[in-house]
Amino acid sequence: MAFGLTANGLATQTQSEIFDELAARVQAQFGTNTNVDISSIMGQWINITAEVQALDQSELLAVWRRFDPNSAEGVALNALAALTGSVRRGATSSVVDGLAEFSGAGTLPNLSLIRNEDNSTTWELINGPLVFAGPGTLAAIYRAVDTGPILANAVPPTTWSVVTVVPGFIGFTNPTDDATLGQNEENDEDFRRRRQRELYSQNIGPLLSIQ
């Protein structure tokens, strides 16, 4: 197989194919009696050259694939998908509702931290500041510091500990509800499939998808 652009895309060669091609050229130039066996000095030089060219072709193929949404990866896929209006879904954090308890007057600032001792995760307050006039509880919403589908009630009942110490703040409980789970960043394969669905959805894709 020859290296180059074809109707089916970029065609590349294996190191063995490149070696055979170069060996044939050497014998065409210097005579058929030229020793191009891999054990010969000439054969070793040919093999070194073939290895370098094979690596170069592999890099060129990787660049070529970055322009095809069916094979592009990472930021290259993001850029191609954006041309048709598709955006990769980013990672989100789990969120849990519960009650913050105080022993007296005080203020719990936003982004105050607590720790879930059952799964060793850290959570931050996102509906603060919570202002207490005296002993009691207020509705509190905490978000996991790390992204992904992190459970709050991994081993019910959950044990929470205070990380950000605030005068009067006793702790947090979520008696019944588990977290609204976050998600990991959409991987390349899932992103490609969703992009295809968006392209071919009704009133967006080609005529056949509208009929």
Side-chain angles (χ1 to χ4, degrees):
M1 176 188 297
F3 169 71
L5 290 174
T6 70
N8 296 319
L10 182 65
T12 59
Q13 298 168 297
T14 65
Q15 182 175 339
S16 177
E17 290 172 333
I18 297 172
F19 179 91
D20 291 342
E21 181 180 298
L22 292 176
R25 291 187 178 186
V26 166
Q27 289 187 327
Q29 180 69 30
F30 300 108
T32 56
N33 290 329
T34 303
N35 188 358
V36 293
D37 186 81
I38 190 67
S39 61
S40 68
I41 294 178
M42 179 64 76
Q44 291 178 33
W45 275 109
I46 293 174
N47 192 51
I48 292 171
T49 303
E51 181 181 9
V52 172
Q53 289 191 16
L55 291 172
D56 288 343
Q57 290 187 24
S58 178
E59 290 297 320
L60 286 172
L61 182 59
V63 172
W64 173 266
R65 286 175 172 169
R66 290 172 68 91
F67 293 95
D68 181 358
N70 293 320
S71 56
E73 300 176 342
V75 294
L77 177 57
N78 293 347
L80 289 175
L83 296 176
T84 53
S86 295
V87 178
R88 187 190 298 268
R89 290 172 178 161
T92 60
S93 297
S94 298
V95 175
V96 63
D97 296 335
L99 297 173
E101 183 178 1
F102 265 69
S103 61
T107 300
L108 187 62
N110 213 33
L111 303 183
S112 297
L113 301 177
I114 59 175
R115 177 181 172 84
N116 186 321
E117 297 295 345
D118 297 326
N119 59 13
S120 301
T121 55
T122 304
W123 301 64
E124 57 189 4
L125 182 70
I126 60 173
N127 70 322
L130 301 182
V131 181
F132 288 80
T137 60
L138 282 177
I141 304 174
Y142 280 87
R143 176 180 61 202
V145 171
D146 295 326
T147 58
I150 299 174
L151 295 171
N153 286 344
V155 185
T158 306
T159 302
W160 299 92
S161 63
V162 176
V163 176
T164 303
V165 177
V166 174
F169 177 51
I170 297 175
F172 172 78
T173 57
N174 61 314
T176 57
D177 294 336
D178 204 336
T180 299
L181 294 181
Q183 64 180 18
N184 296 317
E185 182 180 68
E186 191 172 30
N187 62 40
D188 287 341
E189 191 59 36
D190 289 342
F191 187 24
R192 289 192 193 98
R193 285 196 294 265
R194 182 167 60 81
R195 174 182 173 275
Q196 288 292 333
R197 291 195 300 269
E198 291 175 354
L199 287 175
Y200 287 87
S201 62
Q202 188 174 9
N203 297 326
I204 295 178
L207 181 60
L208 288 178
S209 69
I210 301 174
Q211 294 175 338

